[in-house]
Every structure is written in structure tokens, then in C-alpha cells.
Amino acid sequence: MRRAAERFQVAVTTARRWADRYRRLGAAGMVDRSSRPAHSPAKTVTRTERRIIGLRVTRRWGPARIASHLGLHASTVHRVLTRYRVARLRHLDRATGRVIRRYEHTAPGDLVHVDIKKLGNIPDGGGHKVHGRALGGRNSSAHRDITRPRTRSNRPNLGYSYLHNAVDDHSRLAYTEILADETKETAAAFWRRARQYFADAGIVIKRVLTDNGSCYRSHVFRDVLAETQISHKRTRPYRPQTNGKVERFNRTLLDEWAYAQPYTSETQRRTALPRWLHTYNHHRGHTALGGKPPASRVPNLSGQYS
């Protein structure tokens, strides 16, 4: 028995256990068995498990909050939720509690998500995110721009930037411009440039998905899509989840570019956008793409095969 244990690099007790099992049960005894104990005296009682699952389903709380409410450890609540295979909160629609249906179109250009993100401008010298409320407020008050007169007394009018974004559903390839407004003419002109960007990458667009903003419901935007026979689909009202890929891109854009470092002026922040966008498209790994960048799904992004 010791020689056999040395041959297969296991303990002698392990070799003896398998040998005894074979003598008693034959080949059927060689099948792996569950290591779960026959009795679990410390297991959470069924009534408590039902309360945990009930709070998760009805109130959509996480393990820590459920544990605080029931006087349990968060690890205990987590084990119960895992045992019954309850969906994680990030997989649920917070409004309805239903599991989110995720989808991905099979080829680049089958669907492009388009959206606009409004972003406040940074005063010269930096705002409150750099210097705090006191000094940041003084920089804002001292900011002067004759093209943006003050609409209220003693309050600066720094204005806003409008980030027009287009994200391909299959590859997550993104195109972004910082524009002065969100009018129908601006949105239509942006789409023409975005369409050309995707065309240069070898992507033929078939359909566009937007929200119900006035610029996207206009005849101007409808006509610019009709020029190349692109169908237009809009999300249901008050359902931004339908356009979730570009909404998630908006959050990434804010976290990794707009608020990633203490900019001292709006010009400095705008100058950093092209470099970040190149990194996002060509080098930054995307979790939905198995850690690869969007460029990995667009063979002709560099234009070398056109």
C-alpha cells in the first residue's frame, strides 16, 4: 500500500480508502462522491433563508444590508443567496427586479448606439474638484466669457459641453465629439462624421439606436439617416437600459477621462480626449470582449485593407 501511495503521490490513508472501496463496491466505488456532509447542524434555518430571499426579491438589497436588517453576518447571507442561485444585483433591473436581458449583435455595424452626455465646463484655474468649494467657487466667479452672459446675478455661467457619442454594438468601437449644443442640426452633422469614421474602419451601418431626445425625433436627423438607408430605432420612454452600451460608455468616459485627473482648464481637459479615446479603442481591455480592445473586432480599423 505504501509503494502504491508513493507511485501516485498520495497519502497512504488515501490509497487505503480507495482500495477498501474497490474491494467492497467494485468499479462502482471508483466514482467521485460529494464531499458535502450528511448533516449540517449549523446550517441556517429554513425560515431565515426564506426571509433573506424575500428581502432580496422584494427590496433588492445586497448581503450587507440584509444582514444588518436580520442581525446576521453578511457572509451568511451571501452563502444563502449563492446556494439558491439568486441573481446578482448588477444583473437585475433595479426598477422591476427582473433579470436584464443582455444582447450583442453578430457583426460590426448591425447596430450603433448614439447618445449625448451633458458636462459642465471647467473654469480657468480649476474648479471645486481641484481646489475645493471655496477656491473653486472664486475661480468660477472670476471666469469671464462674453459669449456666455450671466443669467443670474452673482452666479457664473460657465456653460456646458455636449459629448456626442456613437458606440458600435458588436465591437464597442466608439466615436466622440465635444460640441456646443444638442440641436437637431448639430446631431445630424455629428452623425455624418461618425458614419464616415465607421466607414473608414470598414463598418457598414445598418441601424441606429437613440433615445427620444428632440434632436433625434426631428426630420433633420431622420433625413440624414435616410441618405444611406439606415433604419432608426428609439428606446422606450424612461428606459435608458435599452441603450445601455452607450450609457455605460458615458460612465467610463467620465471616470477615466473627464474626472480622472485635476484639470486646471476646460482646454486642458478637451486636449486629453483624443488620446484617451485612442487608448479606449486600441489598447484598453474590455470585459465584454474577453479583455481585448474594440479594435480586435474591427479588422480594418487602420484602413490598410481598403
Side-chain angles (χ1 to χ4, degrees):
M1 193 64 66
R2 187 177 299 277
R3 292 284 302 276
E6 291 176 356
R7 168 65 178 81
F8 293 100
Q9 296 183 358
V10 298
V12 176
T13 54
T14 300
R16 183 175 293 111
R17 182 169 62 250
W18 281 98
D20 292 342
R21 190 181 299 175
Y22 182 78
R23 292 189 185 102
R24 287 186 289 107
L25 303 174
M30 299 294 98
V31 179
D32 288 338
R33 297 179 180 180
S34 173
S35 59
R36 181 177 179 178
H39 302 283
S40 303
K43 180 183 176 182
T44 308
V45 299
T46 303
R47 182 173 180 271
T48 303
E49 290 182 343
R50 289 176 178 173
R51 293 184 66 189
I52 291 172
I53 296 173
L55 288 171
R56 180 54 166 268
V57 172
T58 58
R59 303 192 184 184
R60 291 181 282 286
W61 287 353
R65 191 169 182 185
I66 295 175
S68 176
H69 183 76
L70 298 180
L72 303 170
H73 288 287
S75 59
T76 300
V77 176
H78 183 269
R79 281 197 300 270
V80 171
L81 296 175
T82 303
R83 185 183 307 137
Y84 288 95
R85 299 182 180 179
V86 180
R88 294 179 178 269
L89 286 178
R90 67 171 179 263
H91 297 157
L92 299 178
D93 180 358
R94 291 301 182 94
T96 63
R98 298 175 180 174
V99 177
I100 298 173
R101 294 178 57 193
R102 303 189 184 277
Y103 64 90
E104 179 182 279
H105 285 259
T106 56
D110 285 353
L111 179 67
V112 172
H113 302 258
V114 177
D115 192 33
I116 300 173
K117 182 64 179 178
K118 187 177 179 181
L119 191 63
N121 289 326
I122 299 175
D124 294 337
H128 67 274
K129 289 186 178 294
V130 177
H131 304 292
R133 291 289 177 182
L135 182 56
R138 287 197 292 271
N139 286 344
S140 298
S141 299
H143 191 88
R144 294 291 184 270
D145 190 339
I146 60 175
T147 63
R148 291 194 296 267
R150 300 185 180 217
T151 56
R152 296 186 184 180
S153 176
N154 298 323
R155 287 192 59 183
N157 187 16
L158 298 173
Y160 294 91
S161 300
Y162 295 86
L163 302 172
H164 291 247
N165 303 317
V167 178
D168 177 56
D169 184 272
H170 176 77
S171 65
R172 272 69 165 186
L173 186 69
Y175 178 78
T176 297
E177 288 185 5
I178 305 176
L179 301 175
D181 54 54
E182 52 183 343
T183 62
K184 56 187 178 183
E185 292 81 10
T186 301
F190 163 78
W191 174 248
R192 283 195 176 95
R193 294 187 292 272
R195 182 186 64 202
Q196 186 59 49
Y197 171 80
F198 288 114
D200 292 342
I203 297 176
V204 179
I205 300 172
K206 299 178 181 178
R207 184 167 59 171
V208 166
L209 178 65
T210 69
D211 58 23
N212 292 275
S214 59
C215 61
Y216 298 131
R217 289 186 285 108
S218 67
H219 289 188
V220 175
F221 194 79
R222 180 199 64 185
D223 294 342
V224 77
L225 292 179
E227 291 175 0
T228 49
Q229 282 131 21
I230 298 175
S231 62
H232 186 196
K233 181 180 180 182
R234 293 198 295 266
T235 62
R236 277 169 33 196
Y238 309 108
R239 292 286 297 179
Q241 300 92 329
T242 311
N243 213 9
K245 289 186 176 66
V246 71
E247 295 287 354
R248 184 62 181 86
F249 173 77
N250 289 343
R251 197 174 88 184
T252 302
L253 192 66
L254 297 183
D255 291 343
E256 300 183 11
W257 164 70
Y259 303 137
Q261 60 184 4
Y263 299 105
T264 57
S265 68
E266 181 63 24
T267 301
Q268 184 186 24
R269 180 166 68 178
R270 295 189 180 197
T271 303
L273 178 60
R275 181 177 179 180
W276 179 87
L277 193 61
H278 174 83
T279 301
Y280 178 88
N281 284 329
H282 293 265
H283 305 289
R284 178 188 179 276
H286 201 296
T287 54
L289 307 180
K292 297 181 180 180
S296 64
R297 288 193 170 185
V298 185
N300 197 31
L301 184 58
S302 63
Q304 60 183 335
Y305 301 119
S306 59

